[in-house]
Amino acid sequence: MPVIGLALAFSALVTSSTTPVTAAAAQPAAMPASQSVEEYVREYFKDAPVMIDIARCESRFRQLDSAGKVLKNPTSSAMGTFQIMASLHAKSAQDNLGLNIYSLEGNAAYARYLYERNGTRDWNASKHCWGKSQPVAAATQ
């Protein structure tokens, strides 16, 4: 199967399934040029609304800063829309899953990977923001 076909098949599988993401299938679909970051996140995580709230809280749906560089937390290595800790995850995401967390697609796909493995635990630092809008069961994962 061509790489783009595999990416599209994975995206459809991930957004419609509750099974964990596997390393072999972790290639996200590319964001259409006409789509905003918020639209991409809302579509990609339509099955996991808490992740939409997390992206809103973590980055206000931004992947890039005003200078066009990947959005970075000034006090940590957190990067991109889902503020993935690059110091902890960038190498593993790339080596094990083939994901570039510095791209929107890779950042969202790795966020899904973390969510499938750990629930919302990796974003507990911002729970005061996103946790208010979620049912108790989803917010305590």
Side-chain angles (χ1 to χ4, degrees):
M1 177 181 279
V3 173
I4 193 70
L6 180 61
L8 292 173
F10 170 72
S11 182
L13 175 67
V14 167
T15 58
S16 65
S17 172
T18 58
T19 58
V21 176
T22 63
Q27 297 303 316
M31 181 176 108
S34 62
Q35 196 176 39
S36 70
V37 172
E38 182 174 354
E39 290 167 335
Y40 182 84
V41 168
R42 287 185 182 281
E43 177 63 25
Y44 193 77
F45 285 103
K46 65 185 173 193
D47 63 325
V50 67
M51 294 304 291
I52 297 167
D53 288 340
I54 287 171
R56 178 184 48 80
C57 291
E58 291 288 349
S59 68
R60 295 183 316 226
F61 298 110
R62 294 176 301 150
Q63 178 66 18
L64 305 175
D65 64 17
S66 59
K69 296 180 181 178
V70 176
L71 185 67
K72 182 182 180 313
N73 183 310
T75 62
S76 74
S77 69
M79 306 295 284
T81 303
F82 286 92
Q83 291 292 281
I84 305 291
M85 295 291 288
S87 61
L88 300 175
H89 300 289
K91 183 169 176 31
S92 176
Q94 183 64 53
D95 293 351
N96 299 327
L97 302 171
L99 297 174
N100 175 2
I101 65 166
Y102 301 100
S103 72
L104 173 60
E105 297 85 354
N107 198 269
Y110 197 73
R112 179 171 289 280
Y113 171 78
L114 291 174
Y115 177 68
E116 294 288 337
R117 291 187 65 180
N118 306 324
T120 58
R121 181 178 10 174
D122 293 291
W123 294 276
N124 277 346
S126 64
K127 188 174 181 178
H128 65 279
C129 175
W130 56 262
K132 296 173 188 172
S133 62
Q134 295 303 311
V136 174
T140 59
Q141 292 182 339

